Amino acid sequence: MIDRVFREEAGRLTASLVRLIGDFDLAEDMVSEAVAEALVRWPRDGVPDRPGAWLLVTARHRALDRIRREERYQSKLETVAALSQEVTREPDDRMRLIFTCCHPALDTEVQVALTLKAVGGLTIAEIARAFMVSPPTLAKRITRAKQKIVSAAIPYRMPGPAEMRTRLHRVLTVIYLIYNEGFITTAGERGTRRELVDDAEWLAGLVAAALPDEPEPLALLGLIRLSLARWDARINAAGDLIVLADQDRSRWDQRRIDSAVRLIERAAGMGRPGPFQLEAAIAAVHCESPAWEKTDWEQILKLYDLLAAIDSSPVVRLNRAVALSHLAGPTEALAVIDALSDELGAYHLFHATRAALLRSLGRPGEAEAADSAALSLTTNPTEISLLRARLA
């Protein structure tokens, strides 16, 4: 219980404290100290009714004490001292933080990594896995980025609409990665983190409201909402992952699906297609199908062709090959996937997809080897359970 509270509140607390004191490093340090104090007091005294507010007040008091002790923070002391004692979080705190982290003065990859840590509350290890670099390397990059924010006097504010558009793709990429980490975690005891997906939906909604004439935020919001519509059918009572083909579609939230489809249609009506619109459209085809056997694979393949023209990444080509297998058969799809081995050899879903195709071709030995390779490359507990079941 306590650990979940800390993970859910980390990004919110940091964003709020950065707004109060304008210093990334100090905010993160004080949140860490507040958490350390809670670890001592809460097991003894009980979790407070408003744990987030308790942590924020504690972190703010510690920040004030630190600033008082250091003369170079005198101007910040005056700012903090003048603030009201109200501890509720302004709705756009994390939006300001996202757009600060995605400032064009910072390298693109660092923008995403810094935002995932400061806003999404992801650990260095989780982000490092996503970027396929070592945790120490990533930590150095994030430290340099925070130093540059200070040295370049990058303002902690919401930019105007024109400036927002120049950072929009990076901001949406960050929100998508937060969603993705919640959908299937990279590590930890939990296979999914619903709170991260809820956060991503909220952030995508704020961006869509701020830029109502931009189609991609609407599409991303629709994509996340479609995932939430299927959430209760994805995991069984034992915590095991249920693949899309085996999900009980009567448990899908039709109201969420309808809402998401309206968002996606509204985005499409603007006539400026983008990658999030195409991903959302693919998800919508799945959600509107009454049964797995009635999935419109021809339409999905066409959408993947359009997506590949915009984003020819190997993961997109891998997913396209899955759609191809339902139309042209596993042999043709396997040939496409095998051609991706140099680029995706370290990606567990590459091997898991190969295993499924090999099994359908009656090659169980090769399928087992591919599933074993996938198992060695994932740290997600629900995926591990699924792969072990296949191997058993």
Side-chain angles (χ1 to χ4, degrees), residues 346-358:
Y347 183 46
H348 69 286
L349 292 181
F350 165 77
H351 297 285
T353 303
R354 284 192 75 249
L357 294 175
L358 289 165

Side-chain angles (χ1 to χ4, degrees), residues 165 208 211-219 262-274 277:
R165 287 183 175 85
L211 295 171
D213 58 342
E214 288 292 335
E216 286 287 82
L218 291 170
R262 287 194 296 271
L263 289 169
I264 296 164
E265 290 175 344
R266 180 177 156 197
M270 295 181 185
R272 286 173 283 153
Q277 292 174 68

Side-chain angles (χ1 to χ4, degrees), residues 367-388:
E368 183 176 339
D371 269 335
S372 295
L375 184 59
S376 70
L377 291 169
T378 183
T379 54
N380 179 276
T382 56
E383 290 181 326
I384 289 172
S385 177
L386 179 63
L387 290 167
R388 284 176 175 168

Side-chain angles (χ1 to χ4, degrees), residues 55-132:
L55 289 167
L56 180 56
V57 168
T58 302
R60 187 177 61 186
H61 286 168
R62 287 178 172 271
L64 188 57
D65 290 341
R66 173 78 66 86
I67 292 170
R68 283 196 180 105
R69 290 196 301 267
E70 300 180 24
E71 289 184 2
R72 65 192 181 96
Y73 287 118
Q74 184 59 39
S75 61
K76 295 174 185 174
L77 172 61
E78 295 171 2
T79 301
V80 174
L83 289 169
S84 163
Q85 295 301 307
E86 175 61 43
V87 298
T88 55
R89 175 176 56 88
E90 288 187 13
D92 60 353
D93 274 352
R94 285 187 291 174
M95 282 284 285
R96 289 195 194 101
L97 192 52
I98 285 179
F99 278 96
T100 299
C101 293
C102 292
H103 194 279
L106 303 174
D107 293 337
T108 301
E109 186 176 89
V110 173
Q111 291 175 11
V112 176
L114 179 60
T115 314
L116 288 173
K117 185 175 187 302
V119 181
L122 304 188
T123 66
I124 292 291
E126 289 168 343
I127 303 168
R129 288 189 193 95
F131 283 89
M132 297 183 182

Side-chain angles (χ1 to χ4, degrees), residues 209-288:
L211 295 171
D213 58 342
E214 288 292 335
E216 286 287 82
L218 291 170
L220 179 56
L221 179 58
L223 174 63
I224 296 170
R225 197 161 287 175
L226 288 175
S227 294
L228 287 169
R230 302 193 301 263
W231 195 268
D232 290 342
R234 290 183 63 227
I235 307 292
N236 65 19
D240 298 324
L241 186 67
I242 303 174
V243 297
L244 184 61
D246 297 331
Q247 288 177 17
D248 179 359
R249 299 187 179 214
S250 68
R251 299 187 64 196
W252 290 359
D253 186 338
Q254 191 59 50
R255 187 176 64 176
R256 277 186 182 272
I257 292 173
D258 293 342
S259 171
V261 169
R262 287 194 296 271
L263 289 169
I264 296 164
E265 290 175 344
R266 180 177 156 197
M270 295 181 185
R272 286 173 283 153
F276 292 117
Q277 292 174 68
L278 292 166
E279 280 199 47
I282 291 166
V285 174
H286 281 297
C287 284
E288 293 183 313

Side-chain angles (χ1 to χ4, degrees), residues 32 46 48 77 88 100 148 154 186 193 229 264 337 362 378:
S32 295
L77 172 61
T88 55
T100 299
K148 187 166 186 177
I154 293 173
T186 54
R193 292 178 58 187
I264 296 164
I337 289 174
T378 183

Side-chain angles (χ1 to χ4, degrees), residues 35 40 47 90 99 105 152 161 179-180 224 254 285 291 302 331 352 355 374 382:
V35 167
V40 174
V47 178
E90 288 187 13
F99 278 96
Y179 149 72
N180 216 37
I224 296 170
Q254 191 59 50
V285 174
K302 289 178 181 177
T331 300
T382 56

